[in-house]
């Protein structure tokens, strides 16, 4: 449908019918995974299609979505500092006793360079403030309300990681396996 996000649509680059069918099947699987993941964390199907992405076979969401979910659950998230060189985001659980120090998420451009993200991802050159904020906000949300996010990583976090390889894992079948083949 027109509501299916561009990021989840198949890349219709080939004229080969089997390649096109494989691309469509992958797009449908990613969309289904996004909707199912969204349901686990309280997003409607349309919200999930817009905010949950499958990267390297893992569901992820934007850091801003993580902040929205944590705040919707009644917890407090605020930005202490945000610049081209450093971002600090703080969080407080709604049931924390008075005087409990806030949980902090911090990211600096130096740490991003050291990790290799700033050289690999052009967004760090084009908009370092947003990228550092996204990393700091994601860290803060994970520390403040892990039960809300259920371990789902931030899009910005997964996109900076290399595609994982699973040593010893069998290759994924190109087509569904029939009972007779098993």
């Amino acid at each position: 449908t027109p509501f299916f996000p561009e990021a989840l649509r198949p890349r219709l680059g080939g004229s080969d019918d089997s390649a096109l069918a494989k691309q469509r099947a992958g797009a449908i699987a990613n969309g289904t995974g996004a909707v199912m993941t969204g349901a686990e964390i309280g997003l409607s199907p349309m919200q999930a299609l817009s905010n949950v992405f499958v990267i390297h076979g893992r569901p992820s969401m934007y850091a801003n979505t993580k902040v929205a979910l944590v705040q919707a659950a009644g917890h407090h998230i605020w930005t202490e500092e945000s610049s081209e060189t450093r971002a600090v985001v703080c969080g407080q659980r709604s049931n924390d006793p008075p005087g409990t120090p806030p949980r902090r998420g911090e990211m600096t451009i130096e740490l991003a360079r050291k990790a290799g993200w700033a050289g690999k991802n052009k967004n760090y050159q084009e908009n370092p403030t947003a990228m550092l904020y996204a990393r700091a906000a994601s860290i803060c949300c994970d520390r403040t309300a892990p039960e809300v996010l259920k371990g789902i990583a931030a899009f910005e976090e997964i996109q900076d990681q290399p595609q994982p390889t699973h040593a010893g894992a069998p290759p994924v079948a190109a087509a569904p396996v029939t009972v007779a083949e098993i």
Side-chain angles (χ1 to χ4, degrees):
T1 73
F3 296 111
F4 204 71
E6 187 66 34
L8 295 175
R9 291 182 187 211
R11 306 288 179 244
L12 305 175
S15 60
D16 180 10
D17 284 343
S18 65
L20 182 59
K22 198 182 283 187
Q23 289 176 358
R24 281 194 174 128
I28 291 167
N30 285 342
T32 302
V35 170
M36 291 175 67
T37 299
E40 292 287 324
I41 56 175
L43 296 176
S44 72
M46 293 304 288
Q47 289 172 324
L49 283 174
S50 298
N51 293 291
V52 177
F53 306 94
V54 179
I55 302 175
H56 305 317
R58 289 183 59 196
S60 66
M61 67 181 100
Y62 288 128
N64 286 338
T65 305
K66 290 178 110 173
V67 170
L69 288 168
V70 170
Q71 289 178 330
H75 307 298
H76 306 284
I77 302 292
W78 67 93
T79 304
E80 189 174 277
E81 181 180 343
S82 184
S83 71
E84 290 188 354
T85 58
R86 183 172 185 245
V88 179
V89 179
C90 298
Q92 195 84 42
R93 292 185 61 83
S94 60
N95 60 353
D96 276 345
T100 301
R103 290 140 184 97
R104 296 168 53 91
E106 181 177 346
M107 186 53 58
T108 65
I109 197 69
E110 292 84 22
L111 288 171
R113 285 188 183 118
K114 190 175 182 178
W117 309 324
K120 179 175 99 171
N121 187 331
K122 69 177 181 164
N123 292 330
Y124 283 94
Q125 286 87 40
E126 294 174 5
N127 197 350
T129 304
M131 293 305 291
L132 295 175
Y133 168 80
R135 284 296 188 129
S138 178
I139 292 166
C140 177
C141 288
D142 289 343
R143 290 176 178 170
T144 302
E147 79 286 356
V148 172
L149 304 171
K150 299 184 178 14
I152 299 174
F155 170 86
E156 298 85 0
E157 179 183 337
I158 293 182
Q159 76 174 352
D160 287 337
Q161 295 175 356
Q163 186 161 356
T165 56
H166 302 285
V172 177
V177 178
T178 66
V179 174
E181 291 173 319
I182 293 173

